[in-house]
Amino acid sequence: MSYDRVFATVCSGIAMQRLLALIGPIPFIALAIVAAGLSLGSAVWLYGEVLAPALAESNSPWRYPLTGLALATSYFAYGLTLLVVAPALNTMLGGRLRPYRGSAVSLEAMRWYVHCTLTLVVRYSFLEFVTPSPFAQMYFRLMGMKIGRNVNINSTAIADPSLIEMGDNVTIGGTASIMAHYSQGGYLIIAPVKLGAGSTIGLRAIVMGGVEVGDKAKVLAGSFVLPNTRIPAGEKWGGIPACRIERDSDDAGSDMRSRGDGSAQ
């Protein structure tokens, strides 16, 4: 193959990559518009058919703050509707995730883009207002997250919820990030995250794909847990990257008491 043909092939490949980079996000922007637009329908109906006619009959100076309250109420109608519409679209479009390793530009990866789009449109337009609350947990469950009893999720930075599992009594600290994906060696890797019963993820900690945190283990605030890390039950991890600091003192004390009781018998 001549130099000119090689050069033309390389230029063609670069041009195609640039074209994909330009038009690639368009379908997912459209999906975000659909999710937000359908949800806004409830807000428009509430304001236009219920609240605005009632306010139109008033000539009092109070109509201005009352109009503000009506608009705010309509916004929350939008947000609560979005918490249901986004998971419904996610299910319809096959956005429930499976473990994956491969190119970020493939048919299999498309379900991840769908899932991410419908997660982000909720996170950045409303979820902060209902976190932590049963509404946020309802949304995460509808998106496929497995959540045990008495779980406290005080963060909206939850990516890939359909591959995240939380046992009973799990606590997620404020603005902690949990994501079931990462990139490595030019590949997109999607791997489940499992948080055992009674485990704690501290304030602003980051947990990556493939991580398993054992029962009653703790990840300290601001720590970064590398992909595919296994944190044994009862241990305390911290740092960047996170590593074992010590076994939780309460659990260690319980073990010592158990051994003492056993020897007494």
Side-chain angles (χ1 to χ4, degrees), residues 52-117:
L55 292 170
E57 299 177 0
S58 173
N59 293 319
S60 165
W62 284 100
R63 69 181 181 275
Y64 298 109
L66 290 174
T67 299
L69 289 172
L71 290 170
T73 301
S74 300
Y75 169 75
F76 271 83
Y78 152 78
L80 295 174
T81 304
L82 183 62
L83 296 182
V84 177
V85 168
L89 289 172
N90 184 68
T91 301
M92 291 169 56
L93 297 174
R96 292 292 179 96
L97 298 178
R98 296 192 293 248
Y100 172 75
R101 177 188 174 91
S103 172
V105 184
S106 67
L107 289 176
E108 183 64 24
M110 289 303 102
R111 70 171 67 240
W112 179 70
Y113 289 108
V114 168
H115 195 69
C116 284
T117 298

Side-chain angles (χ1 to χ4, degrees), residues 109-188:
M110 289 303 102
R111 70 171 67 240
W112 179 70
Y113 289 108
V114 168
H115 195 69
C116 284
T117 298
L118 294 170
T119 301
L120 294 175
V121 71
V122 175
R123 175 184 173 186
Y124 287 114
S125 70
F126 184 71
L127 193 59
E128 200 74 45
F129 292 102
V130 291
T131 299
S133 79
F135 291 109
Q137 292 203 21
M138 176 201 73
Y139 161 72
F140 285 129
R141 283 192 170 97
L142 290 174
M143 289 293 286
M145 186 187 293
K146 298 177 180 177
I147 303 176
R149 295 172 296 177
N150 195 34
V151 170
N152 182 17
I153 304 175
N154 192 26
S155 175
T156 62
I158 309 293
D160 321 306
S162 68
L163 278 184
I164 296 174
E165 180 179 349
M166 299 182 185
D168 296 342
N169 303 305
V170 168
T171 298
I172 308 299
T175 65
S177 298
I178 302 175
M179 59 197 77
H181 75 274
Y182 59 97
S183 294
Q184 189 176 67
Y187 292 103
L188 169 66

Side-chain angles (χ1 to χ4, degrees), residues 18-34 113 117:
R18 289 179 176 176
L19 179 62
L20 288 174
L22 179 63
I23 67 173
I26 292 177
F28 305 105
I29 293 173
L31 177 58
I33 291 172
V34 169
Y113 289 108
T117 298

